[in-house]
Amino acid sequence: MTFELIHTSVQRGLRGGSGFATAVATRDLPVGLEGALEELSAYDFDLNRVVGADRVDWAHRIVTVQGRSSSVLSCTKPCGSDWSGRPNRIAHHIVLDASERVNAGPAWLLQKLGSTLASSDDAEIKIEERARGPVLPNDARVSARAASAWISAGFDAGWAGVVAKTILDAPLSPCYLILPADCDALALLGDVFALIAEDRRWHITFSTRFLRASTNAKCQLRCVRANAPALRKLLAEPGVRQVTVVTGASAGDSPAAEAGRNGSLVEATARASMRIEPVLRGAISPRIGAGVSTGVGNAAAARFAINDQSLSSESDNDLNLDFADARPIASSTSTQFDFATINFPAYFLFAIAGAALLASFVLALLMAFQR
């Protein structure tokens, strides 16, 4: 069943009280889920503090409450002043049933719902509990296409492919998409999702006006502005990825960048084999670090960064283990004597040390008898 919740500043909310409160909710909405949606309804008006890259926060998050996870589509935007004259915002959330997750993906569905969600105004809202959630568009398919929205925004279309590759290769790591200024970030993400296979689209979460991480909600792709306050602190967190987009700059010549320009699907880097063969002598020395793949060409490498601390907290997507030195164990029943395995210089030095120790012992005995 699809649930809906609208949270804004009202004179008297659905559950009582005034100020920011639930104004509309679907009947039988779980109490725990309602609280989680209220937490996601925040909006920062302070331009000296906000880090997001869009005036409206378009978001897809996976919210987990009491062990149950749900896909939540959200639109949070400013809406003038409230009944007391203070700046107001309105947050419109839709919790999807699994059967309503269209193949086109969450970015496409938000774009289709955009006119409905973004046009909401607190003055038009009737405080009520509704019997059912909104009617959603029928299932649709979006094929891979060239990233035209990126071109319209003044960017190389290849950046869409770079972003898709980054979030696919590190699904457990937050990724900051750093844009030069406020823009229509949802349109950019629509191009990114078109380059991702249908069976992966609903696994990816995002926010176009990232505010802060929530304890109950996953948000992988976080759109932020370059030089935004506190951005450096966010990027210093262990495990984060970042893609910094520069107007007019090339995204490089990697396969992912070419996919963004040509309109073909971007594939995640194949996982390295984790099979370990037994060895006779010598230790296996996995080389960690060289296996982190950015999928970005040399021209864009300076604008793409990965925090190496992420290797301690991620899956093995970015792990490249080299077991070329492994050798089979010799048979335990073999009687063949291998002279090549004997270290003659070591034995010779050991014999000299033993002889010197014996001589010292004999000399000590002779001196004792002379006394």
Side-chain angles (χ1 to χ4, degrees):
M1 177 180 178
T2 302
F3 294 107
E4 179 181 28
L5 183 138
I6 298 177
H7 194 269
T8 189
S9 180
V10 290
Q11 197 162 2
R12 181 172 176 80
L14 182 63
R15 315 300 183 195
S18 61
F20 287 108
T22 296
V24 176
T26 306
R27 190 174 301 156
D28 299 325
L29 176 67
V31 175
L33 183 56
E34 181 172 340
L37 296 179
E38 290 176 346
E39 183 182 352
L40 297 178
S41 300
Y43 186 94
D44 198 341
F45 292 92
D46 190 345
L47 297 179
N48 295 320
R49 188 172 54 211
V50 67
V51 297
D54 200 330
R55 180 173 178 270
V56 178
D57 184 16
W58 301 98
H60 167 238
R61 304 178 182 95
I62 296 177
V63 177
T64 303
V65 176
Q66 297 177 348
R68 182 174 181 178
S69 298
S70 304
S71 287
V72 178
L73 299 179
S74 305
C75 173
T76 306
K77 68 182 186 71
C79 60
S81 302
D82 67 1
W83 53 277
S84 66
R86 296 174 299 179
N88 196 8
R89 57 98 181 120
I90 185 167
H92 199 156
H93 306 286
I94 297 176
V95 184
L96 273 66
D97 184 81
S99 63
E100 294 175 315
R101 296 171 185 165
V102 296
N103 290 298
W108 178 89
L109 190 51
L110 273 173
Q111 287 176 304
K112 287 297 182 182
L113 294 171
S115 59
T116 301
L117 298 178
S119 63
S120 300
D121 190 283
D122 63 316
E124 304 171 357
I125 293 176
K126 178 182 178 182
I127 309 301
E128 63 178 339
E129 187 175 64
R130 297 174 180 173
R132 61 177 60 188
V135 177
L136 302 179
N138 294 329
D139 196 0
R141 295 185 179 277
V142 172
S143 301
R145 62 172 187 263
S148 58
W150 289 76
I151 297 175
S152 299
F155 305 130
D156 178 0
W159 286 114
V162 171
V163 174
K165 187 72 164 61
T166 306
I167 56 182
L168 285 173
D169 279 354
L172 301 182
S173 300
C175 176
Y176 288 94
L177 173 55
I178 305 174
L179 299 167
D182 292 349
C183 61
D184 181 7
L186 182 59
L188 302 181
L189 297 189
D191 282 351
V192 172
F193 275 79
L195 302 175
I196 297 173
E198 290 180 347
D199 62 346
R200 293 299 308 163
R201 291 172 182 171
W202 283 98
H203 293 274
I204 297 169
T205 51
F206 61 84
S207 169
T208 64
R209 186 185 172 90
F210 179 72
L211 181 62
R212 63 173 181 270
S214 171
T215 56
N216 295 319
K218 294 180 181 179
C219 179
Q220 182 189 9
L221 184 57
R222 306 166 177 184
C223 299
V224 295
R225 287 181 296 106
N227 301 319
L231 180 57
R232 180 175 296 182
K233 181 179 179 181
L234 293 174
L235 297 179
E237 296 174 357
V240 303
R241 261 66 174 167
Q242 69 180 77
V243 179
T244 301
V245 178
V246 179
T247 304
S250 172
D253 56 0
S254 67
E258 291 300 325
R261 299 183 187 109
N262 301 330
S264 56
L265 289 179
V266 174
E267 301 292 339
T269 301
R271 293 188 179 189
S273 173
M274 299 300 291
R275 183 166 176 256
I276 301 176
E277 298 293 342
V279 296
L280 172 62
R281 57 183 179 271
I284 297 176
S285 302
R287 298 194 294 270
I288 300 178
V292 179
S293 174
T294 65
V296 184
N298 294 335
R303 297 183 297 278
F304 182 93
I306 296 178
N307 190 330
D308 290 334
Q309 298 179 44
S310 62
L311 291 173
S312 64
S313 62
E314 288 180 4
S315 63
D316 60 346
N317 285 2
D318 298 323
L319 219 55
N320 181 16
L321 303 184
D322 187 350
F323 297 112
D325 295 331
R327 300 174 183 142
I329 294 179
S331 171
S332 60
T333 59
S334 174
T335 58
Q336 182 178 358
F337 188 78
D338 187 2
F339 285 95
T341 61
I342 300 176
N343 191 334
F344 286 102
Y347 280 115
F348 181 72
L349 293 175
F350 182 76
I352 292 176
L357 181 63
L358 180 61
S360 299
F361 179 72
V362 172
L363 181 61
L365 287 178
L366 290 177
M367 292 177 63
F369 279 121
Q370 288 179 356
R371 291 178 184 176

